Structure formats: structure tokens, C-alpha cells
Amino acid sequence: MTQLPLRAQLASALGRTAATLSRATGRGDGSVIGGRVGLALEPDLLRKLARDRRLALVSATNGKTTTTRLITSALQELGDVATNAFGANMPAGHVSALSSAKDAPYGVLEVDEKYLPEVIETTGAGVVVLMNLSRDQMDRAAEIWLLAQKWRRALVARNTHVIANADDPLVAWGASTAARVTWVSVGQPWKEDSWCCPECGGPLDRGGMDYVPPGGHAPGVAVRQADGSVPAAPGSPAGPGGPGGGLAENDWACRECSFRRPAPSWFLDGDTVVDPRGQRWPLDIRLPGRANRANAVVALATAEAFGLPVQRALPRLAEVTSVAGRYTTVEREGRQARLLLAKNPAGWLEAFDVLDPALPVILSVNAQGPDGRDTSWLWDVDYRVLRGRPVYVTGERRLDLALRLDVAEVPFQLTESFGHALAVQPQGKVDVIANYTAFQQIRSEFGRAV
Amino acid sequence: MPSDSVLRLVWIYPDLLSTYGDQGNVLVLEQRARRRGIAVETVHVRSADPVPEQGDVYLIGGGEDRPQILAAERLRRDGGLHRAVARGAALLAVCAGYQIMGSTFGGEEGQPVDGIGLLDIASGRGAARAVGELVAEADPALGVPTLTGFENHMGVTRLGPGVRPLSRTVVGTGNGDGTEGCYAGRIVGTYLHGPALARNPGLADLLLTWAVGAQLPPTDDTWFERLRQERLTAVRPA
Ligand SMILES: [Zn+2]
């Protein structure tokens, strides 16, 4: 399809060779090393590879790999789609993805939040999908307000069509400089990074609730706000003039300036998506949990931006059963372990939502480079939901997690490895939540089936 | 002993300054008080609300540049924390919260921003971000074991004559001059960010002892100690 200049063709071909070598020598899935070789030879390669394609860039703290996969699956209804399916979400990975599908008229690229402005600029992508922003790997990530500010600057004076979650105030702020935005309402369970207005710093009123302290207080400890009132439980209804200033659930507004939630045209309502025409569609998808229903709504809104109607996109979403090992089950000696990935507090909250309350759960936490070397985030997760079921703790930083659970008064058993934790289970099913490298370790030991 | 025999913890501005698991300090204090039979009430003060004056232990955490500047402005305007400290309340100020307590700190572009003047310190922006495990020997006068934790900041803090160093660094950057944190009266400031008390239950007990006005009975420190030993072994030079 695209006729690349000779130099770019050579760079692209070299990149593919390196990727093949990397796969053949077992050094990885090849997607990053291939792109790096290509970029070194031709800095404009990404620009050239992106030209003449219809591209969607997908960015968020959580869910970008899964949503990229869902959008890709939907757009395959229209034609071939180039995508970075292995989650190599920086420019080198984008080069690799696009050059390995040269003739695909469509591209869906997962983009690291920090690289998004650069990738928007380089690719000139027509569609940008923004879902959520929350604290993540704080010892190396950029501060999220600064990230959102960079998104704003990157979207100014462009012809980009943005699909964005209106329920996340920081995302709404980051997206609102774009000329055209399709706002979707898919909720924001994790609110600890958005109690303040991104525009002016004033307090945000949140629909359905007043300020709720990040959970985890010991039983018998009275928690009050400064005015003496007891904080409402999450999700408790807002009466008129009551908590949340009478705003509807998921709505939000600044108390001090005019910044408030933009009006969404797509909604997630339980197990149903409501489209801009008010039509309701049951979200019949294979991926479990609230977060994936939210991802599916975002994917449907994005598909429509490409001209693909819901009735054609929705069956395609149901074809996705697992994404890079997430939600797959590994088996050993009669024990079936379902693997859930959670990389940060918001991700743990979404993973708890997927857990089967009747099953034991194994938690595995590492603190290698990709995880963030700082385990402080454990204290932002409310583990009390795990009380009452058998909990097994493992991973390289299991003692950090053990103390966290001890203080939360969640009974647990410490085990020296995931293998041991699995071996002490009765035969049958068990759920597993692991952070990034802990998850990869389990996959490489127990099978990498995608 | 605190009035009406309930220990009042006051967590200042979790909506602005709690990006690094700062809640951990509140939870550890709650747990260690309660396990000794001390009733606890915790107050969360949002930045739009006044800081109550009748608390026993105040906590303020870390955060990004912009919330840090907002927090300093609001605390100065509010005055509640100043009045609480004047009546002898204990205060743990962490990272961005620590810098706020001084006369000045570095803003978004490194420009000096006025602090709230509760500690005789002045902070500015260093050349490089200090990120990593920190080990420090606490001032022997405090009777607190070796400090361990994680730091993540660009601050350089100069201590004035009105404060004493909390500790001397063995591993890590701290204030930037071989010391880490400081204390004066019942105020402790530290660059050990986030859940500093989870790694340093001795520091938690120091704050509780100040608040209660009596020595505390021992409590079960199994998991605290196992984590401390694992971290100190992993981080401390052989
Ligand atoms: Zn505002």
C-alpha cells in the first residue's frame, strides 16, 4: 500500500530482521528490538509508516493493552489492522507494529502515557483514545497532572478526534483542548487522584458520594471529616443537597470554577452500553469484570468513529478471550489458577471486582524496575475486601504485602513462591493477582499461552 | 494524656498530599494505638476544610509540586495547624509536607515558594532526583532504631539552628548534607516518603508516646521486624 522511500524501506526491513533474530534467539517477542534498529536508521520512519493509514492511539494508566486489543478486533471487521499486540507501547514498538503490517489500512497503537504527545505529533493519528489517569509506579513515572497538561498541549490546534472518559476529571481536562471529543461515561472507581480540580485546584464535588477516605482503617477506628460528619460509604446514594452536592452518579463539578464533567454521549450502565442514540446493547463479552465492560464501551465508541456501527463491532469484541495472558488460566496437578494483572492501586481495585468471592486468592508482588522499586502503593490499596477467604502471599516483596495485610487485619499465609502457594491449594480453582514482573514470572513458569 | 481518653489523629489534606501510600502512616498509628487499648479517632481534613485544633497527632504527606504549593497556601491561611502545634500536638511531616514546614521550598520551576514556618529549615531544588532506598541512624536522643524507607524527591534541605537532624544517612540522600529529616519539639520531618512508619514502628511509637505522655507497653512487631530486617539486609552495605 504505502510506497516508502528507499532509505525508509531499508530501515524497516532491517528492523524486521532484528525482530526475527530476537524471537529466534529467545530474547523476547521481538517487537521492541525490531523497532529500535529501525528508528536508529530512519528517525522519520514512524511518520512515514503512519502516513496514509487511519490510526487510533490508545492511552491510559490502566486498560490500554486490553482496549487496544478490543478496538483492533472490532476494526478487523473493516480490514487489516496493524497493532502492537505485545504491549510494546513506545515509538520503537509502534515502528515495529506498523512495519510488520505494511499494507494494513488501519492501525491501533497502544501508547505509553508519557510518549503520547510525541506519537500524536509524529503519526498525526486521526483518533486518540484516552481512558484514565492515576498514580502508577511513582518512582519513575511523570506526575500525572503534568502528563495531562502535556496531552492538552499536544491536542491543541489539531484535527484529532478524541474518544475520552468524561468520568475521570484529569482525563477530561487532558482531552478538553481537542477540537472534537466524543465523551464516554464509563465510571471511575479509583478517585484518590481526583479530589481536586485539575484546572484551579479547588475541591471537586463527586456525584453519589462525599469525600471518602481511601479505605483501610482498623475496625473500631472512627473516621470523621473535619466538619464532624461521617464519610459516606462508596456508592451510597446522594440525596438532594446531600453528599456530592446532589450530583448524579459519576458526575463531578468543581466547587470553585466552571470546570465540570462534559456531557457524555455513550454510557456504561451495568452490563449494558447505551449508544448516542439512546439504544441499549447488552455487553456480551468474554473478558470479566467492570473494567472490561468499560473498555468495551470505549472500543465501541472508537469503532463508530471509524464508521463501524455497534451491531457489527460488538460481536467482534466477544471474540477476545484473553489479552497477553491476562485472565488466562494455568493448570498444574489439578489446580486451575486464573491470572489477573494489577500494576497499581486503581488496577487492584478493578482486579478485586473480578475475583470469585468463593475462591482462595494468591497475591504476588515484586518491585523490579517495571513494577516500580517502591512498594508504598500497597498502602493505597484497600485489602479488607479479602477478609473471609483464604489469602496466600508470595512474590519478591511478600513481606511488604504481609505487613500491609497484618495492619489491615486480613488473615493470610506467607509462601515462598507461587509454585508453593499453588501446591498447598486443594484441587480446583484459585484466583491470582500479581503485579507486572510477578505476573510475567508466573506466565514463564506455567505457560505463556495467550 | 489526650483529652477524653480518645487519641485524635488528624490527616491533613489527603486530597492534595497523599500520592505515595501516605495513608500507611495513619493506619500504622491507628493499629499500634489500638493494640495497646487506646481508642482512636481519625479526622481526614480536605483542603477546603479548616484544620481542627484539638488533635493529638497530625500527619501530612507527599505530593506533586502544584498540590504542595496549594497546601502551603491553605495551611498558612487556615492557621489551625499552627495553633495545634502551639498547644503541643505532635506532627509527622513527610516529603512535600516536610518541605512545607520550613521557611521556603522549590516550586514547579524551582522558584522559591513560602513555606509555613513551623520548622527552622529552608528547602530548594537539587540538581538530580533522589530516588531509592534510604537507611539512616536516628539521633540517639530519640531512642529510635535505624531508619529505613524509600525516598523520591528533588529537594535539598538546609537545617537551621532551631532544629536537630532526625538522623545521619548511611544509604541515600535525605537532606543532601549527610543528614536525613529533622525534629524540633514534637514535630518530625522526613524525606522517608509514603508509609514511613510502616518501616519504622519505633518512630510511630515515639509520636504516640509524645501524644499519650507515657511509655507504651510492647506490642507484637513480628511483621514489622521481618520486613525491616529484610530491607536493611538488602540495602545496607556489607
Ligand atoms: Zn476548578
Side-chain angles (χ1 to χ4, degrees):
Chain A
M1 186 190 103
T2 315
Q3 195 53 45
L4 293 174
L6 193 58
R7 213 170 111 80
Q9 281 187 40
L10 179 63
S12 175
L14 273 176
R16 280 200 309 279
T17 309
T20 312
L21 271 175
S22 158
R23 274 191 297 268
T25 54
R27 287 178 55 203
D29 60 44
S31 49
V32 170
I33 186 170
R36 274 199 197 124
V37 172
L39 274 187
L41 203 66
E42 178 54 82
D44 271 347
L45 187 52
L46 183 55
R47 193 186 310 275
K48 295 188 171 102
L49 286 165
R51 194 186 292 161
D52 301 330
R53 294 196 218 229
R54 297 191 64 194
L55 280 188
L57 309 180
V58 182
S59 202
T61 303
N62 287 318
K64 53 187 179 287
T65 305
T66 301
T67 306
T68 297
R69 179 68 174 274
L70 290 171
I71 297 170
T72 301
S73 187
L75 295 189
Q76 278 164 347
E77 182 75 7
L78 298 174
D80 286 345
V81 183
T83 185
N84 47 349
F86 292 101
N89 60 16
M90 295 180 221
H94 303 143
V95 164
S96 183
L98 295 181
S99 59
S100 62
K102 274 235 176 50
D103 296 326
Y106 300 94
V108 183
L109 299 177
E110 171 188 339
V111 185
D112 180 278
E113 307 89 277
K114 293 183 294 300
Y115 285 86
L116 184 66
E118 169 186 338
V119 178
I120 290 173
E121 167 65 34
T122 309
T123 62
V127 174
V128 171
V129 181
L130 306 173
M131 300 189 298
N132 55 71
L133 275 175
S134 68
R135 59 190 69 179
D136 183 42
Q137 302 167 40
M138 293 300 294
D139 65 325
R140 64 191 194 92
E143 300 181 339
I144 53 177
W145 183 82
L146 289 175
L147 269 179
Q149 193 178 46
K150 286 173 184 160
W151 289 6
R152 286 170 72 79
R153 288 175 184 158
L155 291 168
V156 164
R158 283 192 162 274
N159 200 19
T160 318
H161 182 176
V162 174
I163 317 292
N165 181 12
D167 298 345
D168 184 322
L170 204 48
V171 166
W173 189 68
S176 58
T177 56
R180 181 171 177 209
V181 186
T182 296
W183 297 105
V184 299
S185 167
V186 293
Q188 188 205 28
W190 173 263
K191 294 184 170 61
E192 306 315 325
D193 296 306
S194 39
W195 288 108
C196 287
C197 174
E199 178 69 28
C200 77
L204 284 185
D205 289 320
R206 308 298 306 252
M209 57 173 62
D210 209 326
Y211 169 75
V212 178
H217 291 270
V221 173
V223 177
R224 292 182 192 288
Q225 293 177 252
D227 64 3
S229 66
V230 177
S236 64
L247 295 170
E249 194 185 355
N250 290 328
D251 201 359
W252 51 265
C254 178
R255 209 181 287 170
E256 289 176 6
C257 77
S258 62
F259 189 57
R260 60 175 305 145
R261 183 175 77 150
S265 53
W266 294 76
F267 295 84
L268 171 64
D269 181 14
D271 296 334
T272 304
V273 55
V274 185
D275 74 15
R277 294 151 297 278
Q279 189 168 349
R280 304 174 71 88
W281 305 79
L283 276 172
D284 183 21
I285 56 171
R286 300 285 93 76
L287 299 176
R290 198 215 71 87
N292 284 318
R293 292 194 292 278
N295 295 338
V297 174
V298 170
L300 291 172
T302 308
E304 191 165 284
F306 280 82
L308 184 67
V310 178
Q311 65 265 32
R312 288 177 66 196
L314 199 45
R316 287 281 185 168
L317 303 192
E319 292 170 8
V320 180
T321 54
S322 84
V323 178
R326 299 160 172 87
Y327 320 109
T328 48
T329 296
V330 298
E331 175 148 8
R332 180 171 286 186
E333 290 163 2
R335 284 122 183 137
Q336 297 95 36
R338 182 174 59 153
L339 306 183
L340 306 173
L341 174 69
K343 296 189 280 195
N344 48 48
W348 281 77
L349 199 59
E350 301 283 19
F352 290 157
D353 174 63
V354 176
L355 290 183
D356 182 339
L359 294 181
V361 61
I362 301 172
L363 311 177
S364 186
V365 169
N366 285 356
Q368 297 185 16
D371 306 309
R373 296 193 183 280
D374 178 13
T375 57
S376 297
W377 59 268
L378 288 169
W379 294 85
D380 288 325
V381 179
D382 186 355
Y383 289 95
R384 291 173 302 170
V385 67
L386 301 179
R387 285 181 192 154
R389 78 185 90 192
V391 176
Y392 297 83
V393 170
T394 190
E396 291 160 7
R397 296 302 289 270
R398 56 189 175 274
L399 289 177
D400 295 71
L401 181 54
L403 174 65
R404 176 68 190 91
L405 294 178
D406 179 58
V407 169
E409 309 204 334
V410 175
F412 64 91
Q413 197 171 318
L414 194 71
T415 54
E416 63 186 72
S417 71
F418 175 75
H420 281 93
L422 197 57
V424 300
Q425 302 300 319
Q427 304 251 316
K429 293 180 178 172
V430 57
D431 276 333
V432 180
I433 307 178
N435 70 345
Y436 190 74
T437 67
F439 186 89
Q440 301 305 346
Q441 286 169 352
I442 294 168
R443 282 186 72 206
S444 59
E445 189 182 344
F446 289 78
R448 288 183 65 95
V450 175
Chain B
M1 192 67 188
S3 57
D4 65 26
S5 68
V6 172
L7 182 78
R8 293 235 304 173
L9 306 181
V10 181
W11 187 12
I12 299 170
Y13 301 168
D15 54 338
L16 285 178
L17 297 175
S18 78
T19 49
Y20 297 102
D22 298 272
Q23 172 182 226
N25 294 325
V26 182
L27 299 181
V28 167
L29 285 176
E30 285 177 354
Q31 186 221 35
R32 297 184 72 78
R34 228 171 36 84
R35 285 188 181 174
R36 278 128 166 172
I38 301 169
V40 181
E41 183 179 279
T42 298
V43 180
H44 295 242
V45 186
R46 265 188 97 177
S47 56
D49 296 328
V51 178
E53 296 168 30
Q54 299 305 315
D56 299 302
V57 182
Y58 290 73
L59 300 111
I60 185 165
E64 304 180 359
D65 293 328
R66 207 172 65 125
Q68 182 185 23
I69 294 168
L70 282 172
E73 280 168 9
R74 285 170 195 185
L75 283 174
R76 197 176 321 105
R77 199 169 48 197
D78 178 76
L81 181 60
H82 292 77
R83 290 189 289 275
V85 165
R87 28 165 295 276
L91 166 64
L92 176 68
V94 166
C95 209
Y98 169 42
Q99 297 181 335
I100 284 175
M101 297 305 144
S103 58
T104 180
F105 60 92
E108 284 153 302
E109 317 289 339
Q111 79 280 15
V113 177
D114 286 347
I116 67 168
L118 285 178
L119 285 172
D120 180 14
I121 60 171
S123 302
R125 237 173 200 225
R129 183 165 276 272
V131 185
E133 292 278 340
L134 193 149
V135 178
E137 296 300 341
D139 183 336
L142 295 173
V144 171
T146 305
L147 299 176
T148 158
F150 200 94
E151 63 180 332
N152 182 356
H153 62 97
M154 287 196 69
V156 172
T157 296
R158 189 169 40 76
L159 307 189
V163 297
R164 300 190 59 176
L166 177 65
S167 60
R168 307 226 155 255
T169 50
V170 179
V171 174
T173 303
N175 296 326
D177 62 354
T179 67
E180 197 308 285
C182 75
Y183 70 101
R186 292 174 173 179
I187 307 178
V188 173
T190 178
Y191 276 116
L192 292 173
H193 86 178
L197 300 183
R199 296 265 286 264
N200 300 286
L203 198 54
D205 285 356
L206 179 68
L207 293 166
L208 291 176
T209 304
W210 285 343
V212 172
Q215 283 305 306
L216 301 166
T219 180
D220 179 4
D221 277 344
T222 307
W223 294 109
F224 285 99
E225 275 313 311
R226 285 187 68 175
L227 175 60
R228 279 176 59 78
Q229 290 319 313
E230 188 253 336
R231 285 290 90 205
L232 286 170
T233 306
V235 173
R236 206 153 39 181

